[in-house]
Amino acid sequence: MFTEVAQNLFVLSEPLSFYGFQIGRKMIVVRLPNGDLFVNSPAELTAERIEALNDLGTVRYVTPSSKLHGHLYMEDYARTFPEVELFAAPDLDRRRTDLAFDGLLGSSPDPRWADVLDQTAFLGHRWLTEIEFFHVPSGTLILGDVCYNLGPEVPLKTQLFARLLGMYGDVSVPLDLRYTMKNEAAGRRSVERILDWDFERVIVGHGRIVERDAKRRVRDAFEWLV
Ligand SMILES: [Fe+2]
């Protein structure tokens, strides 16, 4: 059910239809050195998934990427796992007033996961303030919606949609995001902070995982900005 893409780094990929386009989605689980699990962009829970998570460790921290990506089902995690803490991305606490958050995500990691995961906010966009994570031991960048990586594996209609948004075939930033920046200097600083990390792999919220040379490909994806 979970793919171990690196030691202590697991991904669950599942279908997601976005207005009829099959873009898929990913849930990421990082096992911390003490056995606690850090979950990003949680997937809907099923009996099998609960069992699989319990086999991996103790579900402790549940995080979205942004107020738009990865905040569904958080309430189910709070109900199912007694030791869980929910974290809000910027503005998610105002959007999901039904949830009781234990903390807010920003540009520095919580000390309880900082040994393994660094993080920064992608700033400067009109509505998307996304938290990007870097899994240090495996050299993996974890993104939500700022980059997609859709290719021939998706249906033709979705390929066309990806082409129209300038995000077909490689790691790329959707055109609608590029054209709706509010503060390009802030965006540039965010990308520079991300490119300071020493990553070889990138996991995007929608699309294929890149296992090699990810830094060059992410740099290329942001060439319009940096
Ligand atoms: Fe998303």
Side-chain angles (χ1 to χ4, degrees), residues 16 23 68-70 144-145 148 205-206:
L16 175 72
I23 58 174
L68 302 175
H69 182 100
D145 289 326
Y148 283 59
H206 310 285

Side-chain angles (χ1 to χ4, degrees), residues 103-218:
L104 298 172
L105 300 169
S107 275
S108 51
D110 187 290
R112 292 172 294 173
W113 61 70
D115 285 349
V116 169
L117 283 159
D118 200 358
Q119 70 190 61
T120 192
F122 184 86
L123 302 174
H125 189 261
R126 257 176 239 284
W127 63 79
L128 185 76
T129 304
E130 183 170 287
I131 306 296
E132 325 298 3
F133 292 97
F134 172 51
H135 185 233
V136 182
S138 69
T140 304
L141 175 65
I142 300 166
L143 303 175
D145 289 326
V146 296
C147 288
Y148 283 59
N149 184 23
L150 301 172
E153 75 288 353
V154 298
L156 270 175
K157 190 176 113 177
T158 303
Q159 292 181 31
L160 183 63
F161 163 74
R163 282 181 199 278
L164 284 172
L165 281 176
M167 54 177 207
Y168 179 79
D170 203 346
V171 179
S172 39
V173 182
L175 281 176
D176 60 321
L177 281 186
R178 292 187 225 175
Y179 291 144
T180 45
M181 291 297 291
K182 181 176 65 181
N183 182 337
E184 293 212 342
R188 204 151 32 240
R189 278 195 297 276
S190 301
V191 174
E192 282 163 1
R193 170 100 196 264
I194 291 167
L195 292 174
D196 272 345
W197 288 329
D198 192 17
F199 60 93
E200 174 78 9
R201 177 189 293 108
V202 59
I203 301 172
V204 294
H206 310 285
R208 302 163 294 180
I209 296 175
V210 171
E211 288 286 348
R212 296 270 173 277
D213 207 17
K215 195 158 171 170
R216 179 188 62 75
R217 290 165 71 174
V218 170

Side-chain angles (χ1 to χ4, degrees), residues 3-11 28-30 135 138 140 203:
T3 304
E4 187 169 11
V5 298
Q7 197 174 20
N8 296 314
L9 176 64
F10 306 87
V11 172
I28 294 103
V29 179
V30 172
H135 185 233
S138 69
T140 304
I203 301 172

